[in-house]
Amino acid sequence: MTIFYSLLLLAFPILAVLSFTPSSDPFSLSEYQKARALETFQSLDASRFHFQILFVDDDNAKGRIVEGLFARIVEYNDAMCVLFPESCTIPSRRIVAEMDAEPHEGALAICESLGLCPARSEAWGTALDLSYHLDQYDLIVTMDDNIRSRILRSIVGEKEQQEYAAKCRLLSDFLPEGVLLESTNTNSSSSNDASTILDMLDGELQDRVKVLSPLLREEETKNQLSDILHRYFDDNGLLFQIAVPANKDEFHASRPRLILTPSGAASWNIHQESWPLTEVAMIMATAGITRFCLDTIQNYYDQSFQNLLEINYPILHKNCVDDDDALQWEKVDAQLRRCSHLICGYFSPGERKGRWEAYCRAKSNHDT
């Protein structure tokens, strides 16, 4: 069970709190969110050393934007050969044209402003095929709960629904409750140097998030990010969801990060229907997905290599005890690689040696 609790350190950056009680840490999660993260981790097969991720929208816009953001973040983190994103659209009343259609002008303007790959941004939309797509992807990320519910309702059988529910998640599931706005977190318990979600972003994307830092530091407004990625009820009780600007004019009109109040004073554009806040929410959630996937793979190989050490230690320690250090390690490494080239190949020779020596020290201390 300890390996699953370590997931709470390695998975979402927002899971870097071991305590299950409410915390002032901006990356704390509710019990429910932690359980969902663990459930998804257990459903993924990291032994193949890659994940295929599908983003599903119902407007032929949000999915391609998040796909493009994900591809950009993945490239920045040198994971293009590990994580493979695609997007598609599920039919809705908002989509009246042919499902496999070209993107509208507003979506293209947003992708261009974010510097996303034109090949992805300008590609014709793909209609979701429930009989095909569900089994072709390791992780399915929906833009809101309504889309996720429609997908799960299409699955026959309670057991099958539970299985697919673990791999079908909301975009907001990967979003922190608050945003850690410092690029270096010396108190993080993460096993790598990229200890905050901002470290997953290149400089330009970091700047887009940091520009709203005064706003996001406030308790009463930082949780708006999660609200934006959900359908929610406005003050009049009407179901509301942020819509992607339909054309360039709408996009430029909703783009300003600073607006003038009726009194003429400058104020942050924090309205939930504004695009800057939506953009920040998408960037942070997408970075969270990247971090989760990479750490899930890392966690799998950490555990697998630890199992190799536990299995081989008794006989290796007995047979190599009289050898000098160099010869001892040569025999140990040869035996470990015979057991699994795949697992050993994930780590460099130096990493393997360091883990073996650390394991031997731990066993020696335990025995004494």
Side-chain angles (χ1 to χ4, degrees):
M1 288 299 293
T2 56
I3 192 64
F4 294 137
Y5 285 108
S6 70
L7 164 69
L8 301 179
L9 291 174
L10 294 172
F12 304 131
I14 44 182
L15 295 179
V17 181
L18 284 175
S19 173
F20 288 101
T21 58
S23 168
S24 59
D25 191 304
F27 288 138
S28 64
L29 278 180
S30 67
E31 284 273 2
Y32 176 68
Q33 288 172 301
K34 288 179 180 180
R36 288 167 70 94
L38 183 57
E39 185 182 47
T40 301
F41 164 77
Q42 293 172 319
S43 72
L44 297 177
D45 179 12
S47 65
R48 297 181 298 117
F49 193 54
H50 75 273
F51 290 139
Q52 293 174 276
I53 299 98
L54 180 67
F55 299 101
V56 185
D57 62 29
D58 62 355
D59 59 3
N60 195 24
K62 290 192 186 76
R64 72 176 62 242
I65 295 171
V66 175
E67 177 194 351
L69 281 170
F70 186 82
R72 175 170 175 170
I73 295 171
V74 163
E75 181 177 7
Y76 180 72
N77 288 275
D78 297 324
M80 294 180 66
C81 295
V82 179
L83 304 177
F84 303 94
E86 291 186 35
S87 62
C88 66
T89 298
I90 193 170
S92 74
R93 286 178 294 180
R94 291 192 293 167
I95 301 294
V96 296
E98 177 67 28
M99 287 300 301
D100 293 334
E102 60 183 330
H104 59 67
E105 189 179 76
L108 290 175
I110 291 169
C111 292
E112 182 180 0
S113 74
L114 288 168
L116 306 184
C117 173
R120 295 182 182 274
S121 304
E122 299 171 7
W124 282 42
T126 301
L128 176 66
D129 184 346
L130 292 172
S131 64
Y132 169 78
H133 281 123
L134 294 187
D135 293 321
Q136 298 299 313
Y137 294 89
D138 300 283
L139 181 63
I140 299 172
V141 181
T142 66
M143 298 300 103
D144 60 55
D145 195 50
N146 180 58
I147 299 173
R148 182 174 184 268
S149 297
R150 291 176 62 189
I151 291 175
L152 295 181
R153 286 199 305 267
S154 70
I155 301 170
V156 178
E158 182 178 351
K159 181 180 179 180
E160 288 76 11
Q161 283 188 354
Q162 292 177 350
E163 291 176 354
Y164 283 106
K167 64 182 257 183
C168 185
R169 291 305 186 199
L170 300 174
L171 179 62
S172 58
D173 284 344
F174 300 88
L175 184 69
E177 291 178 60
V179 180
L180 187 61
L181 294 164
E182 304 297 334
S183 61
T184 301
N185 179 11
T186 57
N187 295 321
S188 172
S189 300
S190 176
S191 61
N192 55 54
D193 293 332
S195 57
T196 73
I197 199 169
L198 283 182
D199 289 318
M200 305 296 293
L201 306 174
D202 59 56
E204 182 181 349
L205 291 182
Q206 281 196 27
D207 290 342
R208 286 176 180 266
V209 173
K210 288 181 177 179
V211 74
L212 292 180
S213 59
L215 158 71
L216 298 173
R217 290 182 189 278
E218 301 176 12
E219 182 65 32
E220 65 271 18
T221 56
K222 66 183 181 182
N223 290 328
Q224 287 190 38
L225 291 182
S226 183
D227 292 339
I228 284 173
L229 298 181
H230 283 92
R231 296 175 185 268
Y232 64 93
F233 290 92
D234 63 14
D235 294 336
N236 297 318
L238 299 176
L239 190 62
F240 183 79
Q241 185 188 35
I242 301 297
V244 174
N247 52 55
K248 288 184 178 181
D249 291 338
E250 286 188 14
F251 169 61
H252 291 301
S254 66
R255 190 178 183 182
R257 284 165 168 72
L258 285 174
I259 58 176
L260 294 178
T261 64
S263 62
S267 174
W268 292 105
N269 187 3
I270 63 173
H271 300 296
Q272 285 186 307
E273 66 272 15
S274 72
W275 181 253
L277 209 56
T278 306
E279 182 180 277
V280 168
M282 285 185 167
I283 292 173
M284 298 302 291
T286 306
I289 298 172
T290 308
R291 177 67 176 271
F292 174 77
C293 290
L294 292 178
D295 284 347
T296 297
I297 294 174
Q298 179 69 43
N299 190 282
Y300 168 81
Y301 282 95
D302 285 342
Q303 181 183 7
S304 298
F305 193 79
Q306 183 72 11
N307 291 340
L308 280 182
L309 296 179
E310 292 174 358
I311 293 171
N312 287 279
Y313 176 81
I315 187 170
L316 287 173
H317 180 69
K318 179 180 179 181
N319 294 341
C320 301
V321 67
D322 296 328
D323 296 330
D324 60 58
D325 291 343
L327 180 59
Q328 182 188 68
W329 168 241
E330 184 178 327
K331 291 181 178 180
V332 168
D333 196 37
Q335 172 62 21
L336 294 176
R337 286 188 284 113
R338 277 195 297 269
C339 289
S340 178
H341 279 286
L342 177 64
I343 295 172
C344 290
Y346 182 82
F347 303 98
S348 69
E351 288 177 308
R352 296 197 298 270
K353 184 177 182 181
R355 287 169 182 260
W356 165 257
E357 292 173 346
Y359 184 82
C360 290
R361 287 194 298 270
K363 290 291 291 184
S364 177
N365 294 336
H366 180 269
D367 293 339
T368 58

